[in-house]
Amino acid sequence: MPTLILVRHGRSTANTAGVLAGWTPGVALDERGTAQAAALPGRLAALPLAAAVTSPLQRCQETLAPLLAARPELPLHTDERIGECHYGDWSGRKLAELADEPLMRVVQQHPSAAAFPGGESMRAMQARAVDAVRDWNARIEEEHGADAVYLMCSHGDIIKALVADALGMHLDLFQRISAEPCSVTAVRYTQLRPFVVRLGDTGDFGSLAPREEGTGEGRTGDADEGRTGDAEVGGGAGAP
């Protein structure tokens, strides 16, 4: 079965503003995200990609634009099933405000029981994304062979949920996984089991630097993951 390259979109304006974007329209890449997207063709240059599949959201489409410009022959498909989690009434709200919501504790500690008001449950989010990957695995293998490599550009929580599935982890453990902006995760699927062969690879170790006391310098976006134990819902802004 094929090898799947999962790319999280580059850093967005919502990431840097600390906003949970969800399906809010008009969320674009920021300056750093644009640079991350520009570097993507070089990072993937050695891979003979058979196809690319993207979330319909703008930040994912902008992330893939340089890759598609470099490879005009690469087929592009859009699949809503790998779109961001439907956060419902939480969409567009500041993460700092949401931290005080009782539901946030459930999202952090028992995500399989979390359902966003006016949105979807995290179980439903994972199920649709896993279904999409299984369907695309079959389609890519049929059209391009069992050794084919293809790419999906998606979102932090979607990628973490897919990795949890590939690792055989319960969804309640998926907050232990990190997927920074424009990180590359690779899963090789076989008939017996998936193999996670790359996880959240950015080639950038800046996000591992300790956060300086009394400042926001060092880790950003997911800075509190290493300090409070909470994961950044939506994926965080990554390294500064």
Side-chain angles (χ1 to χ4, degrees):
M1 298 179 72
T3 296
L4 170 60
I5 307 300
L6 287 163
V7 177
R8 185 184 167 201
H9 62 78
R11 196 174 73 177
S12 73
T13 54
N15 293 145
T16 46
V19 170
L20 188 62
W23 284 70
T24 305
V27 176
L29 299 184
D30 69 4
E31 184 176 354
R32 179 174 175 82
T34 300
Q36 291 170 332
L40 192 60
R43 294 171 63 198
L44 301 179
L47 292 178
L49 297 174
V53 185
T54 183
S55 156
L57 296 174
Q58 178 180 338
R59 52 198 182 273
C60 288
Q61 295 176 346
E62 290 180 352
T63 299
L64 287 189
L67 179 65
L68 296 170
R71 302 195 193 193
E73 77 289 350
L74 183 64
L76 177 66
H77 309 275
T78 301
D79 194 326
E80 291 194 356
R81 294 175 296 176
I82 61 167
E84 181 62 285
C85 184
H86 291 277
Y87 295 116
D89 297 344
W90 279 26
S91 299
R93 294 182 59 187
K94 288 276 190 180
L95 287 163
E97 298 172 0
L98 293 170
D100 295 328
E101 294 279 353
L103 178 60
M104 182 60 85
R105 187 172 184 183
V106 182
V107 170
Q108 292 292 334
Q109 299 184 18
H110 190 21
S112 67
F116 296 99
E120 70 180 333
S121 69
M122 301 198 88
R123 294 190 318 280
M125 174 199 75
Q126 183 185 45
R128 63 173 164 84
V130 169
D131 283 347
V133 168
R134 296 294 190 270
D135 289 348
W136 280 104
N137 282 350
R139 176 172 173 177
I140 295 296
E141 180 172 3
E142 181 180 357
E143 295 179 1
H144 301 280
D147 294 328
V149 180
Y150 75 106
L151 177 148
M152 279 186 171
C153 186
S154 188
H155 307 266
D157 281 350
I158 296 288
I159 291 171
K160 289 162 58 176
L162 289 170
V163 170
D165 173 75
L167 291 172
M169 291 171 54
H170 197 282
L171 184 61
D172 284 344
L173 303 179
F174 100 127
Q175 298 289 24
R176 301 182 181 193
I177 299 165
S178 178
E180 290 198 2
C182 228
S183 61
V184 174
T185 294
V187 183
R188 182 172 295 127
Y189 287 87
T190 75
Q191 297 236 342
L192 298 181
R193 63 182 62 85
F195 293 89
V196 178
V197 294
R198 293 288 188 279
L199 179 59
D201 187 351
T202 63
D204 181 355
F205 291 94
S207 64
L208 302 179
R211 186 178 179 184
E212 296 179 14
E213 290 297 327
T215 75
E217 298 301 319
R219 292 167 59 93
T220 62
D222 62 341
D224 290 338
E225 288 181 9
R227 299 169 66 84
T228 67
D230 286 346
E232 188 82 5
V233 180

